[in-house]
Amino acid sequence: MSRPGQGVMMPVTGLGFPPQNVARVVVWEWLNEHSRWRPYTATVCHHIENVLKEDARGSVVLGQVDAQLVPYIIDLQSMHQFRQDTGTMRPVRRNFYDPSSAPGKGIVWEWENDGGAWTAYDMDICITIQNAYEKQHPWLDLSSLGFCYLIYFNSMSQMNRQTRRRRRLRRRLDLAYPLTVGSIPKSQSWPVGASSGHGAPTPGQNNLNRPGPQRATSVSTRASIPPGVPALPVKNLNGTGPVHPALAGMTGILLCAAGLPVCLTRAPKPILHPPPVSKSDVKPVPGVPGVCRKTKKKHLKKSKNPEDVVRRYMQKVKNPPDEDCTICMERLVTASGYEGVLRHKGVRPELVGRLGRCGHMYHLLCLVAMYSNGNKDGSLQCPTCKAIYGEKTGTQPPGKMEFHLIPHSLPGFADTQTIRIVYDIPTGIQGPEHPNPGKKFTARGFPRHCYLPNNEKGRKVLRLLITAWERRLIFTIGTSNTTGESDTVVWNEIHHKTEFGSNLTGHGYPDASYLDNVLAELTAQGVSEAAAKA
């Protein structure tokens, strides 16, 4: 099938706005953390246009027309969206499309996410889908827009070409986006400080929301800063930078309100991935056998008797000191706080024991209760000093870990190649060792790519990470600190470097202490060369 063309966008002049006396549809869009321009709804766009007509240098309170957008304000002078409760700032733009395209007709195409909610496509994709739909094509390939999806109109579904996963698709009618005629003064369209024909992005031309150099060039174009214009370097979305976004945003808005020019600069984007690598350039890591490790679903065996496990690591104390048991907070000279709650044959509530290596003392019944509430893998961890007795294992879901050398160097390790680790865990159903057995868990952001320098210490870390992976300690199922989503795969206290060519997020290089820090984290999980030899 020949793919229908991109929705026709209106020609523009060198100043960055359409020619006079030409009707066009206005769509306001904001730039998300993935450098994709996301459209506001038609209702919000009408509201922005109404405010723009009244005061081209004013502010737009989005919560006046959409209750979900209560924290957000758009500053028309700097062309930024400002979130009042967090200080996050994002660029916005005013884009123009042909009145006969999807936004001009009020047509919205949406896909169903994992939570059952409907998410609108980026505007250029929406237009492309609508064009194919109107031409009665049976299917549409979105790969030319940088997305590995096929759209099937007969079944109204979207399919991932790599995973073959399908999602539902829908087309609905909404309010048409606002229509405008005639040229727009530059101060209404782009931030103050844009040089004529050079600084502002050109609306409607090559602004496709797709990954790759072309989109990056369009998005990263910034207005030049004339002499004497204050520049406020804004803290980036991940928290690093010289000025907090709330302070920079409010300062910028106050300066604009006073009629003073201001230019908000943004921190550079992190370099997450290395340049492309051919298969012939990918090599095994010296001294590390194989290139892949898989973990399967844990086969539940008959649990070891908790009392036997605890007694293996403890020595009986005949005359305990008069101090607290830090598990039940009762005195060691009295009965365990679990008396009457937990009963085990042969475990009297007043029995006290001392852990063999660290010497910390607890009620025997308290340790039995603690073990019974954990992973029940035959290991025990002291709740006071975290010393591990036995081999600790985790609750990591089934998945695959790959590792190999790539011919590129990390910042700070110019003379060495790089070890790339690729973790891949699919979605699945939680087992009895997880927070909600029988319930589905999600796995966001996989496959995840991580990087180590190919030196002696880097290879040591890799070997121990392989051991941690096989013991199911790298990931667990819990609540994401980033998104707040529950029942999802999250990191499990062993930090990884996921940023290849920079360290803007704190997850990259150079970081002189990282290898030592991760070795300490692995040791805290019971994974070390000394433990392996013991």
Side-chain angles (χ1 to χ4, degrees):
M1 179 192 82
S2 60
R3 187 187 66 78
Q6 164 74 16
V8 178
M9 297 184 182
M10 300 307 300
V12 298
T13 70
L15 293 178
F17 49 84
Q20 294 183 0
N21 303 321
V22 177
R24 63 266 193 215
V25 172
V26 178
V27 177
W28 284 81
E29 299 167 314
W30 56 277
L31 189 68
N32 72 7
E33 63 271 23
H34 304 297
S35 297
R36 288 168 52 188
W37 288 101
R38 301 288 296 141
Y40 292 101
T41 65
T43 301
V44 172
C45 289
H46 277 279
H47 177 57
I48 299 173
E49 286 293 297
N50 289 336
V51 175
L52 181 66
K53 293 175 184 177
E54 296 294 328
D55 183 5
R57 294 173 175 264
S59 298
V60 185
V61 181
L62 300 186
Q64 292 179 347
V65 292
D66 189 336
Q68 294 182 330
L69 300 181
V70 167
Y72 298 98
I73 293 175
I74 291 179
D75 176 51
L76 296 174
Q77 178 73 7
S78 65
M79 290 295 281
H80 276 76
Q81 170 191 278
F82 175 67
R83 179 165 179 164
Q84 300 174 83
D85 53 350
T86 65
T88 302
M89 300 186 67
R90 300 182 187 273
V92 299
R93 72 179 184 184
R94 188 172 187 251
N95 221 349
F96 305 97
Y97 297 91
D98 192 292
S100 63
S101 62
K105 299 176 180 178
I107 295 172
V108 181
W109 285 88
E110 300 172 318
W111 55 275
E112 187 179 31
N113 63 27
D114 290 338
W118 292 94
T119 303
Y121 285 95
D122 298 350
M123 188 54 68
D124 62 305
I125 296 181
C126 175
I127 291 173
T128 302
I129 295 174
Q130 178 62 22
N131 287 347
Y133 178 83
E134 291 177 352
K135 294 178 181 178
Q136 298 184 344
H137 291 305
W139 55 275
L140 172 66
D141 187 350
L142 295 179
S143 59
S144 63
L145 293 181
F147 297 92
C148 58
Y149 296 108
L150 292 172
I151 301 295
Y152 293 99
F153 293 108
N154 292 336
S155 60
M156 290 295 282
S157 63
Q158 165 193 285
M159 186 184 77
N160 188 309
R161 299 181 62 171
Q162 295 178 347
T163 65
R164 317 302 293 179
R165 181 180 181 182
R166 288 179 179 260
R167 295 181 184 272
R168 287 200 300 164
L169 178 76
R170 77 175 183 183
R171 174 182 180 268
R172 66 177 180 85
L173 290 177
D174 199 354
L175 178 69
Y177 279 81
L179 193 68
T180 187
V181 178
S183 62
I184 306 298
K186 185 173 65 174
S187 62
Q188 292 182 345
S189 299
W190 307 109
V192 168
S195 57
S196 299
H198 299 288
T202 305
Q205 285 191 340
N206 297 327
N207 285 328
L208 301 182
N209 298 328
R210 60 174 180 263
Q214 183 178 3
R215 185 190 67 184
T217 301
S218 170
V219 170
S220 63
T221 304
R222 293 287 176 263
S224 59
I225 305 173
V229 175
L232 300 177
V234 179
K235 184 176 181 182
N236 72 16
L237 299 180
N238 294 291
T240 60
V243 179
H244 192 279
L247 175 61
M250 292 308 298
T251 303
I253 290 173
L254 290 172
L255 287 171
C256 290
L260 299 173
V262 62
C263 180
L264 298 173
T265 62
R266 292 175 62 83
K269 295 179 183 178
I271 302 172
L272 299 178
H273 302 292
V277 179
S278 64
K279 288 185 178 181
S280 60
D281 289 332
V282 174
K283 305 295 182 184
V285 180
V288 181
V291 294
C292 180
R293 297 288 191 277
K294 294 183 180 180
T295 56
K296 298 181 180 179
K297 187 174 182 179
K298 181 181 179 183
H299 296 289
L300 293 179
K301 301 177 181 179
K302 289 184 178 180
S303 299
K304 298 179 180 179
N305 188 303
E307 178 190 340
D308 293 339
V309 173
V310 171
R311 287 184 183 276
R312 182 189 312 160
Y313 304 121
M314 295 200 71
Q315 301 167 353
K316 186 177 178 180
V317 177
K318 292 184 178 180
N319 298 306
D322 187 15
E323 58 186 42
D324 287 341
C325 168
T326 56
I327 297 178
C328 69
M329 300 310 296
E330 298 290 344
R331 308 296 285 182
L332 289 172
V333 293
T334 64
S336 165
Y338 283 91
E339 182 182 16
V341 179
L342 187 68
R343 293 186 180 275
H344 271 267
K345 293 181 180 180
V347 182
R348 299 195 307 274
E350 66 273 11
L351 287 178
V352 173
R354 177 190 292 109
L355 287 170
R357 289 204 311 273
C358 64
H360 290 111
M361 289 181 282
Y362 309 94
H363 291 112
L364 190 63
L365 190 60
C366 291
L367 282 174
V368 169
M370 185 187 74
Y371 177 83
S372 300
N373 196 43
N375 202 28
K376 297 185 283 291
D377 58 358
S379 71
L380 195 67
Q381 188 166 14
C382 175
T384 300
C385 67
K386 308 304 180 184
I388 296 173
Y389 295 81
E391 183 179 290
K392 180 181 177 180
T393 60
T395 60
Q396 177 180 287
K400 181 173 65 173
M401 172 189 185
E402 296 180 271
F403 42 90
H404 47 251
L405 280 185
I406 57 174
H408 299 294
S409 299
L410 294 165
F413 299 93
D415 298 329
T416 63
Q417 292 184 320
T418 298
I419 300 170
R420 178 167 60 186
I421 305 171
V422 182
Y423 296 111
D424 198 5
I425 295 178
T427 58
I429 303 298
Q430 297 182 53
E433 72 272 30
H434 293 136
N436 296 295
K439 185 178 179 180
K440 180 181 178 181
F441 68 84
T442 58
R444 309 292 186 192
F446 288 93
R448 298 188 186 183
H449 291 220
C450 310
Y451 305 96
L452 293 168
N454 181 36
N455 56 23
E456 183 177 352
K457 189 174 285 187
R459 291 189 292 271
K460 176 181 178 180
V461 170
L462 174 62
R463 288 191 293 269
L464 295 178
L465 287 175
I466 292 172
T467 300
W469 171 265
E470 292 172 337
R471 295 183 187 176
R472 305 171 72 211
L473 294 169
I474 302 291
F475 297 96
T476 188
I477 294 176
T479 300
S480 170
N481 290 329
T482 305
T483 66
E485 181 183 15
S486 58
D487 298 305
T488 191
V489 179
V490 295
W491 294 105
N492 187 35
E493 300 182 3
I494 301 175
H495 287 84
H496 286 64
K497 292 295 188 181
T498 55
E499 189 178 343
F500 175 81
S502 54
N503 194 19
L504 300 179
T505 65
H507 302 304
Y509 296 92
D511 185 343
S513 60
Y514 168 68
L515 296 177
D516 291 325
N517 289 342
V518 75
L519 286 172
E521 291 172 344
L522 286 160
T523 300
Q525 297 284 350
V527 181
S528 66
E529 289 186 335
K533 295 175 182 178

